[in-house]
């Protein structure tokens, strides 16, 4: 489902370079739920953005559902992401002027389309995560846990094969974050979707089928 080979990304900070990501090999099968664990600053968000095709690596190959996204043009990559990948960002990235329902529909607009039954599916997803009464609220009127649930619905609206999640706890308490993660995993299981989560938290990693320590993926220089 997902295959990474020799992926590297460095950032220039002042006059020196920081290696943000250095992965030798990573293979994830369809339907797996995997936690990539690493301390803060070890390149988890960078790697997730590379897998989503939001960031280009300096080198390496990324294959998702049989397609080499590192070889795609930016436009083709955006199109591919819209249809095959659902991303729950560390900072959730909802658009503040829009309601919960509109934010989920915007996900559809950049994916399989916001017409047809998309509004009904968006509403059903929000119901499913317990936000049936909050659909017409803006992000500023919701709690952190509720905003994350909306971000999950936006990630799921296009029925992507691959779901990427950055730090499931965010700045919530462990119980709330754990409940949201369990809900996502349950929905992913029903859809036979693959989930890759990155986290610094060993407890939330335990909820996943497999845990991989990011440090062990580093190539020996
Ligand atoms: N846009 C950027 N410009 C320069 N350095 C960056 C940028 N984004 C991340 N970094 C650096 O890359 C490293 C990894 O960051 P990040 O991927 O956010 O780690 P994590 O998500 O594991 O906390 C850090 O040293 C960070 O300072
Ligand atoms: Mg991060």
């Amino acid at each position: 489902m997902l295959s990474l080979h020799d992926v590297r990304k460095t950032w220039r900070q002042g006059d020196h370079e920081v290696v943000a990501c250095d992965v030798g090999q990573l293979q994830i099968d369809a339907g797996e739920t995997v936690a990539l664990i690493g301390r803060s600053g070890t390149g988890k968000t960078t790697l997730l953005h590379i897998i989503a095709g939001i960031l280009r690596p300096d080198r390496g190959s990324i294959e998702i559902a049989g397609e080499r996204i590192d070889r795609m043009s930016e436009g083709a990559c955006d199109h591919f992401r819209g249809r095959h990948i659902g991303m729950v960002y560390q900072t959730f990235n909802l658009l503040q002027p829009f309601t919960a329902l509109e934010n989920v529909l915007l996900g559809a607009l950049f994916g399989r389309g916001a017409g047809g039954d998309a509004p009904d599916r968006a509403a059903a997803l929000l119901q499913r995560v317990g936000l049936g009464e909050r659909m017409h609220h803006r992000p500023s009127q919701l709690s952190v846990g509720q905003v994350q649930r909306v971000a999950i619905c936006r990630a799921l609206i296009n029925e992507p094969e691959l779901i990427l999640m950055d730090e499931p706890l965010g700045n919530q308490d462990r119980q709330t974050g754990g409940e949201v993660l369990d809900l996502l995993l349950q929905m992913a299981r029903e859809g036979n979707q693959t989930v890759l989560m990155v986290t610094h938290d060993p407890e939330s990693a335990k909820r996943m089928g497999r845990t991989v320590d990011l440090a062990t993926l580093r190539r020996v220089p």
Side-chain angles (χ1 to χ4, degrees):
M1 160 79 232
L2 170 69
S3 175
L4 302 185
H5 183 71
D6 196 17
V7 173
R8 190 176 166 99
K9 171 78 189 166
T10 55
W11 293 111
R12 180 158 284 287
Q13 287 182 354
D15 54 3
H16 61 282
E17 283 200 330
V18 179
V19 179
C21 169
D22 183 20
V23 171
Q25 292 276 3
L26 177 65
Q27 306 268 1
I28 297 176
D29 293 334
E32 268 199 290
T33 59
V34 177
L36 262 183
I37 194 160
R39 280 173 297 125
S40 178
T42 52
K44 300 183 297 297
T45 297
T46 303
L47 179 59
L48 221 53
H49 287 196
I50 288 172
I51 294 170
I54 298 163
L55 258 184
R56 291 265 172 188
D58 300 332
R59 66 157 188 251
S61 66
I62 302 120
E63 191 179 303
I64 298 171
E67 303 268 359
R68 282 284 297 272
I69 64 157
D70 55 285
R71 287 186 177 157
M72 290 180 190
S73 68
E74 207 175 302
C77 202
D78 289 345
H79 185 76
F80 182 86
R81 182 186 326 116
R83 288 172 172 264
H84 301 278
I85 300 173
M87 175 95 175
V88 185
Y89 294 87
Q90 185 164 9
T91 49
F92 311 133
N93 295 6
L94 295 191
L95 296 175
Q96 297 300 327
F98 296 100
T99 66
L101 184 63
E102 289 164 345
N103 267 284
V104 178
L105 276 173
L106 280 165
L109 188 65
F110 295 108
R112 295 182 190 272
D117 65 348
D120 290 341
R121 287 190 295 109
L125 277 170
L126 287 163
Q127 293 268 10
R128 177 78 196 273
V129 301
L131 293 177
E133 308 288 305
R134 297 279 185 279
M135 277 185 218
H136 303 295
H137 290 223
R138 296 205 170 88
S140 62
Q141 301 166 311
L142 299 171
S143 71
V144 180
Q146 289 171 332
V147 168
Q148 187 178 33
R149 283 165 204 249
V150 178
I152 286 174
C153 294
R154 185 185 53 186
L156 293 176
I157 187 71
N158 297 305
E159 296 171 349
E161 293 102 311
L162 178 62
I163 299 161
L164 304 173
M165 190 180 205
D166 200 346
E167 301 284 5
L169 296 186
N171 44 15
Q172 324 168 53
D173 59 83
R174 179 163 277 147
Q175 187 176 341
T176 312
E179 284 167 8
V180 178
L181 179 57
D182 285 343
L183 189 58
L184 171 76
L185 289 172
Q186 197 182 330
M187 289 158 84
R189 207 174 302 124
E190 288 163 16
N192 198 28
Q193 289 154 307
T194 308
V195 183
L196 174 61
M197 167 187 101
V198 297
T199 183
H200 66 275
D201 176 50
E203 283 302 316
S204 45
K206 279 184 194 156
R207 294 177 139 90
M208 310 296 280
R210 175 159 71 103
T211 299
V212 178
D213 185 342
L214 197 53
T216 66
L217 298 178
R218 281 194 167 248
R219 291 172 317 113
V220 180

